[in-house]
Amino acid sequence: MKIDELRKKLKIYGTLDNEDRLNILVTLYSNPDISFSDLARTVKIDKPLLAYHIGLLRHVGLIESKYERSSKKMTKYRLSGQALKILKELRIAKKGKLLRKTAKLGSKAIS
Amino acid sequence: MTDLSMKYKERIHKKLLELERKVKGSYITVALLGAGEAKINERRKIQQKLEKDGIVTLIPEDDFPEFAPSLFEEAILEKADIDLVFINVESWGTVAEFAHFYDKGNIAPKLRVLVHYYYHPLYGTSKSYLTDLYLTYLAKYGHVYAYSNRRGMFPTPKKIIATLARRYRELKFLGKI
């Protein structure tokens, strides 16, 4: 693997080496297009800190956000293709589905 | 923590250590605070340079656009796992940020303050209140760096940030931080 690729992976795995962020990722896998408030309720993290984790996950390319103007304006979050690849690499997800045991973790806090 | 989440965490951590050994540097996260719109491109250039080196570099205006900096920056800098916060004091906004953070126990040790040499308490001639505040911070925490926008007696902000971030990453890799 080239050094640039290794550094990119270092940033991704370093970002994931945090319980809260891993929990956010697993939650987004089970609940794509979730709003910020719903995500905060599910993962039970303070909103300012959650904003930081989301910003960081988005920065390294693991999540994507979409601003929607339907009944009310809100930003929704989902995993990127890169994140799905990583979850498979980590054997947390397989063939587009979370492993059964992991899915249970995604619906509540991982710890 | 459940056994399963422990297992995932261990898997990720193991992979991270393997990558750190290969690139001979640790994972670190830095934030760049500075003047808004007018000089943000300068910070973006520094960000590009550090990212290329494998250092996660956050610019609040770009990475957290949904949230007002004055409402959440303090909470983030205090609780989040950011290693270093570089603040280039070059506008009234950054003066306010520095004045707010300079003596906060959980934030101040992460701060690396960049000031134009004219305002630096040791190298400059300014007698302003802000220069006096820099001296207090310097005496208590160190880390007040004089810069010049042109190459000369003092390094540029880009040079200071890149040099310090790289060395910090090496120190962390060697387990000295």
Side-chain angles (χ1 to χ4, degrees), chain A residues 35 37 41 67-76:
Chain A
S35 71
S37 301
R41 261 194 298 277
Y67 186 68
E68 275 189 5
R69 285 167 185 261
S70 48
S71 53
K72 52 181 178 178
K73 297 168 191 170
M74 62 170 75
T75 305
K76 292 187 169 178

Side-chain angles (χ1 to χ4, degrees), chain A residues 28-84:
Chain A
L28 287 177
Y29 195 102
S30 322
N31 309 278
D33 290 325
I34 191 172
S35 71
F36 182 81
S37 301
D38 289 342
L39 185 58
R41 261 194 298 277
T42 311
V43 296
K44 298 182 182 75
I45 301 173
D46 280 355
K47 284 184 178 175
L49 194 57
L50 177 62
Y52 164 74
H53 289 316
I54 285 179
L56 187 51
L57 287 164
R58 187 170 46 198
H59 181 89
V60 297
L62 292 175
I63 68 172
E64 292 164 356
S65 55
K66 191 171 65 177
Y67 186 68
E68 275 189 5
R69 285 167 185 261
S70 48
S71 53
K72 52 181 178 178
K73 297 168 191 170
M74 62 170 75
T75 305
K76 292 187 169 178
Y77 301 92
R78 59 160 55 214
L79 296 184
S80 66
Q82 170 90 323
L84 297 172

Side-chain angles (χ1 to χ4, degrees), chain B residues 117 146-156:
Chain B
Y117 69 88
Y147 72 81
S148 154
N149 287 318
R150 290 181 197 163
R151 281 186 195 172
M153 205 145 60
F154 297 97
T156 60

